[in-house]
Structure formats: structure tokens, C-alpha cells
Amino acid sequence: MIQIAHLQLQNNIILAPMAGISDLPYRMIMKSFGPALVYTEMVSANGLIRAGKRTRQLLRSAPEERPLGIQLFGDDPAVLAEATAMVQGDGELVDLNLGCPVTKVVRSGAGSAMLRDPLKVGRAVAAMRRASALPLTVKIRSGWDSQSVNFLEVGRIAEAEGADALILHPRTRAQGFGGKADWGQIRELKKALNLPVIGSGDVFTAQDAQAMLEQTGCDGVMIGRGGYGNPWLIRDCLALQQGESLPAPGAAQRLEVALRHLQWFQEIFGPRKTVRDMRKHLCWYSRGLAGAAGFRTRINHAETLEEMNAATREFFSAAADEQQGAA
Ligand SMILES: Cc1cc2nc3c(=O)[nH]c(=O)nc-3n(C[C@H](O)[C@H](O)[C@H](O)COP(=O)(O)O)c2cc1C
């Protein structure tokens, strides 16, 4: 269990904020497997205060996913503070994104670009702290590049200015997602701060989560890419903490979750976006099953929800029959 300011979390497994992925239906699916906290995709502070309708849409939530962390990005402390005040009623926690490596975001001075200006980080955290009583987390990378690794400095500044927890993805901006996340840096940050530290990076199995907790002393583990098509990872992480190991999901279980995901996505976003955005999720659910390559082709060519539904039912049902036959 972790305590972030007054927010008591039920366990130490947390769903990562992921642009283009951690939308409401995804969070609801993942939440049903037990993480203590889920985060929104990153939300533009500038977009929010301009009352952008599309930006506000990212704040749509449902009671069953709470507590919800709302992640903001921006480059202007005053704008970040105003956005923080605006989202007070939309979640239980606010996070500042200081890690996004995407060129468009970095050019605007936000995301990982802020790591190059620790004083500005301090002003942003202080301003957000003053703007709201919600718990405040700050998510960082190791630094801008290998010449400017400054996660300890940024972490200390964030702590001094009122952050309630730090999240570290221990790669520099220049690294993108290459190489391995340097968990040693999570350990260093945990040692340097009095705040809870959450580790993020390369947790693909329950054993990885356990190893990160043990090797770094971090308080919580974030699940990002490892959760693609595999919400069972969260259940497995929690089970392993109780000394249990659960069987991998069969095709029938995958079908049930994939259909639920498809259904919720469609109810929330409508058919057009569903056909476009659910392709990747359905392909991820099929990973490792016989005939997955053919299924991917079919899904990527599906143009209607009906086609998508039919392809999903057919593929996973056939895989389930095959598994039953083999058993
Ligand atoms: C597609 C994608 C989108 C992401 N979007 C965000 C984001 O909006 N905000 C953020 O702080 N991190 C974002 N991240 C980084 C993740 O939160 C996480 O720190 C990183 O992927 C490392 O963890 P993993 O190895 O478990 O994926 C994103 C990562 C991916 C792959």
C-alpha cells in the first residue's frame, strides 16, 4: 500500500499514463484487474484553459475506475496552475508530465524539455501545489540526454516545492524507448527523497514488478507497455505478492475481455473511432495464439464494427476450441 498525501492506495500497482492508449475504456478494462490507481493520457494545460472541447474529453471518467490521476503537460507555471485548479473535481490526484519525448511537445517547451530548466520545474510544481489541495505527483525521465542526467536534482526540487510523490522512467529523452530502463536510478532517487517513489520502465512480467520493488526499494510499480493486450499482468503482479502464480489466460478469457473492451469503447466513443483505435488492442489480445498473424490482417482491414466483432469472435472462439481439444 502507498500513501500519496492523503490518498491511501489499496496496493502498489499503478497504470501508466499513455497518450493514445490510457483512455477511459482502456482504464476501465485495466482497472477491473486491480491496479490501485490509473492515470489519464497526458492532457494539455493550454488546451484546457482555452476550454478546448477535445482536451476536456480526455477528462471523461467513470466511478468504477477511481481513484483517477490526471496528468497535465505544459511549459508555463501559471497555465499549469490554472489547469490544476480546473481539474480539481475530475480526479483524485494531479500529475505533472516532465518526461514526454515527442518533438511537438518538446518544441513547445513542455514534457521532457522542462528537465532542461530545473528552476522552471520548481516554479511549476510550486504553482500547481498552491492551486489545488489534490495530491500532486511529478513524472520525470532521467534527464534530457546522457550529458545532462539530472533526475536527482529535479526530484529534490519537486520535493522541496511540494510534490507528494515522484515517478521516474529511468531513460533520458534522447534514449526514447531504446536500451534498458536503468532501475539503479530509481533506487538512487528513492534513497535521495523522503517521498514515495514510483518506478516505471520495462515491467513486462509479474517477476519484473517484484524485482523492481526489491532491487530499488520503490513504493510502487507502473505498468505501461507490458499491459498491452495483457491486463492479466496486473492480476499476476498482485497474486505474486501473495506468493501465488496464476495460469495464463486462455483464448476464451481473452475473447471475453476483448469483446468487453470493444463494447465499452464503442459506447464511449462511437463506431468510427472504435474501428480506428481498437485495431491495435485487438491485435495485442491475440498475441501468442495460433493464427494471430491472419487475424491481425483481417482486423487491420476491417472497416465496420460488425466486421471487427465477427472477426474477433471467430478467431478467439476457434483458438479456444483448439485449446480445449489440446487439453
Ligand atoms: C504509447 C505511449 C504513450 C505514452 N504516453 C505517456 C504520457 O502521456 N505521459 C507520460 O508521462 N508517459 C507516457 N508514456 C510513458 C509511460 O508512462 C512509461 O513511463 C514508459 O512507457 C515506460 O514504462 P513501460 O516500459 O512499462 O512501458 C507513454 C509511453 C508509451 C509507450
Side-chain angles (χ1 to χ4, degrees):
M1 288 210 293
I2 327 174
Q3 174 110 18
I4 302 179
H6 59 262
L7 184 64
Q8 177 72 56
L9 299 181
Q10 294 308 308
N11 60 58
N12 55 11
I13 304 297
I14 295 164
L15 182 67
M18 284 186 290
I21 308 283
S22 60
D23 50 31
L24 174 56
Y26 185 77
R27 297 194 307 263
M28 279 170 47
I29 289 290
M30 300 307 276
K31 183 70 186 191
S32 66
F33 287 82
L37 177 66
V38 299
Y39 278 90
T40 62
E41 302 171 75
M42 60 180 194
V43 179
S44 161
N46 284 292
L48 271 181
I49 71 163
R50 279 199 315 266
K53 221 175 122 195
R54 279 185 65 163
T55 309
R56 269 225 77 91
Q57 273 222 346
L58 295 172
L59 300 177
R60 269 177 83 175
S61 175
E64 47 287 29
E65 65 165 335
R66 310 301 273 260
L68 175 67
I70 295 175
Q71 188 186 59
L72 299 175
F73 73 98
D75 71 313
D76 181 338
V79 171
L80 281 163
E82 197 176 334
T84 301
M86 279 175 75
V87 302
Q88 289 230 58
D90 295 295
E92 284 63 43
L93 177 153
V94 177
D95 178 80
L96 172 60
N97 176 324
L98 298 182
C100 179
V102 172
T103 308
K104 199 173 144 206
V105 171
V106 165
R107 272 215 196 106
S108 76
S112 56
M114 290 268 277
L115 297 175
R116 304 174 90 178
D117 191 348
L119 291 179
K120 198 197 241 184
V121 169
R123 290 200 301 278
V125 174
M128 290 171 80
R129 172 75 294 155
R130 281 194 300 273
S132 160
L134 289 184
L136 176 62
T137 61
V138 177
K139 185 162 181 286
I140 62 177
R141 279 182 175 247
S142 314
W144 177 256
D145 60 18
S146 58
Q147 262 74 67
S148 54
V149 168
N150 63 350
F151 64 96
L152 287 177
E153 180 193 5
V154 171
R156 286 194 182 104
I157 289 173
E159 177 169 52
E161 297 299 344
D164 296 307
L166 263 284
I167 306 163
L168 173 60
H169 173 203
R171 285 187 174 93
T172 62
R173 189 266 172 176
Q175 276 180 296
F177 288 88
K180 271 193 79 171
D182 181 355
W183 289 359
Q185 295 180 338
I186 299 175
R187 185 183 159 85
E188 281 183 64
L189 187 67
K190 176 63 196 167
K191 272 200 188 145
L193 302 186
N194 292 311
L195 295 178
V197 169
I198 295 160
S200 171
D202 299 353
V203 173
F204 294 103
T205 65
Q207 286 72 22
D208 292 340
Q210 206 59 28
M212 182 191 271
L213 286 164
E214 285 168 15
Q215 288 169 26
T216 71
C218 67
D219 301 274
V221 169
M222 240 179 196
I223 303 293
R225 291 166 297 165
Y228 288 179
N230 186 19
W232 294 273
L233 172 59
I234 292 171
R235 171 204 73 166
D236 292 347
C237 291
L238 295 170
L240 190 59
Q241 292 181 13
Q242 307 301 318
E244 287 167 40
S245 132
L246 300 167
Q253 285 168 285
R254 297 200 209 190
L255 174 62
E256 191 204 315
V257 173
L259 287 179
R260 189 152 34 105
H261 196 164
L262 198 55
Q263 173 73 22
W264 284 349
F265 203 103
Q266 188 246 327
E267 283 171 16
I268 292 165
F269 292 120
R272 245 181 149 205
K273 188 171 156 65
T274 304
V275 171
R276 202 182 58 222
D277 291 2
M278 276 303 293
R279 286 188 178 129
K280 57 181 181 285
H281 293 292
L282 294 172
C283 291
W284 287 329
Y285 284 119
S286 76
R287 273 196 304 215
L289 293 175
F295 173 68
R296 283 201 299 275
T297 308
R298 202 169 157 198
I299 281 296
N300 285 323
H301 286 91
E303 285 184 359
T304 66
L305 201 54
E306 291 69 31
E307 276 176 71
M308 223 170 200
N309 234 304
T312 302
R313 281 176 197 278
E314 278 170 35
F315 170 72
F316 286 96
S317 302
D321 288 346
E322 203 170 296
Q323 286 180 343
Q324 264 210 330

